[in-house]
Amino acid sequence: MTVAVSDDVLSRWLPFRALTGAEPGALPLYCLPHAGGAASAFRMWQGKLPGVAVQPVQPPGRESRHREPPYERMPQLASDLADAVLADVETSAAGRRYAMYGHSLGALVAFEVVREVRRRGGPQPVHLFVSGSDAPHVTYEDGPMVRKMNRDEVVELLRRLGGTPEWLLADAEALEMILPAVRADFTVKETYLYQDEPPLDLPISALPSRSDPRVTLAKADGWREQTSGNFARHLFDGGHFAVFEQAPRTHRIVAEALRPWV
């Protein structure tokens, strides 16, 4: 299926589109960041996966898109990102084959993008990787709603989760730049309403962490119910950002799962 998305819009969603360091025909892997996160979270993954073109996704409201208002609801976010993914896939030398990786909020967004593509009759990814996230259909208990927290409470939450440099949390001017995207992203999560649909017909790999303060292993295991294909769980030691802190292991897991397609 052909999706009309301008090169300008596509380059905003995929700011490192031409800088993957991968050979022509490499399998695109669209990587979606955590709440408040940006494409740079996956920048160092480029060139680390043989035969794979890592494509970090840049949601609006941060980094190169900091002047654009961030999304606050899942349906529009998933629909617009599905447009971009489909447009890029249609022009890819990989022959409409691709994979998706989402961390934390990015896992839920990736899941909803895949389901949106399926509703449109588009090509499904060869694999979906999720980390730092409960399964979409389970009841999550994250504590107080972040969108209702004051600035100090949000900062303390980010500090507890890790992944945000301390210098940034201590810089009032820098905080004013990142907090709108953080609040908007948590609003996407906190207003998300799971709709029951048939399981995806593709393999899913979950990469949870033992000491993640916001994700229990039991609820992460619920991802197996979202596929009629193969499910694999790869357990990490560490907290919410263990897959980034132990990037070489993450790369090995992803590369092995994608080996049949590259």
Side-chain angles (χ1 to χ4, degrees):
M1 61 184 300
T2 302
V3 178
V5 175
S6 70
D7 287 342
D8 176 62
V9 170
L10 200 53
S11 66
R12 293 206 300 269
W13 279 109
L14 305 173
F16 306 118
R17 188 179 181 216
L19 304 172
T20 65
E23 60 272 24
L27 181 77
L29 173 65
Y30 301 101
C31 297
L32 284 64
H34 55 282
S40 59
F42 293 98
R43 184 69 174 89
M44 298 304 294
W45 289 26
Q46 292 188 307
K48 302 295 176 59
L49 299 169
V52 177
V54 172
Q55 291 285 10
V57 171
Q58 187 79 286
R62 66 217 73 203
E63 290 187 342
S64 57
R65 304 184 69 182
H66 70 278
R67 296 185 183 279
E68 300 177 50
Y71 292 90
E72 293 189 343
R73 295 294 186 272
M74 180 69 81
Q76 192 62 55
L77 169 55
S79 178
D80 290 352
L81 182 49
D83 287 344
V85 168
L86 284 170
D88 193 56
V89 166
E90 289 296 330
T91 61
S92 169
R96 303 177 84 222
R97 293 179 296 109
Y98 67 102
M100 297 197 73
Y101 188 113
H103 180 70
S104 195
L105 173 65
L108 288 180
V109 178
F111 171 73
E112 286 298 336
V113 168
V114 172
R115 297 213 298 180
E116 175 63 18
V117 169
R118 181 174 65 177
R119 294 182 200 111
R120 301 184 191 184
Q124 291 286 273
V126 301
H127 208 110
L128 172 62
F129 301 90
V130 294
S131 58
S133 175
D134 294 336
H137 60 283
V138 303
T139 301
Y140 60 89
E141 299 172 358
D142 288 344
M145 291 186 177
V146 177
R147 68 182 189 273
K148 296 182 178 180
M149 290 181 178
N150 61 40
R151 190 178 75 166
D152 291 344
E153 290 170 331
V154 175
V155 169
E156 183 53 37
L157 171 64
L158 296 177
R159 182 175 286 120
R160 190 165 66 251
L161 289 175
T164 305
E166 184 60 34
W167 68 264
L168 195 157
L169 296 178
D171 187 323
E173 186 172 334
L175 274 176
E176 289 304 313
M177 292 186 64
I178 70 167
L179 284 184
V182 171
R183 291 184 186 280
D185 285 357
F186 274 104
T187 300
V188 171
K189 170 70 182 296
E190 292 165 357
T191 60
Y192 172 68
L193 294 175
Y194 171 77
Q195 301 293 323
D196 192 30
E197 293 183 15
L200 298 172
D201 185 18
L202 55 91
I204 294 180
S205 292
L207 291 72
S209 304
R210 295 181 191 275
S211 303
D212 191 326
R214 292 179 73 85
V215 182
T216 67
L217 296 183
K219 291 182 177 180
D221 277 350
W223 281 100
R224 72 174 66 245
E225 299 177 34
Q226 292 298 333
T227 178
S228 60
N230 294 329
F231 175 81
R233 185 184 79 165
H234 303 275
L235 185 59
F236 282 68
D237 290 321
H240 193 63
F241 291 95
V243 292
F244 295 99
E245 295 160 355
Q246 302 169 44
R249 184 186 175 209
T250 306
H251 297 160
R252 288 194 299 271
I253 291 168
V254 174
E256 181 60 30
L258 295 180
R259 191 180 305 278
W261 305 100
V262 301

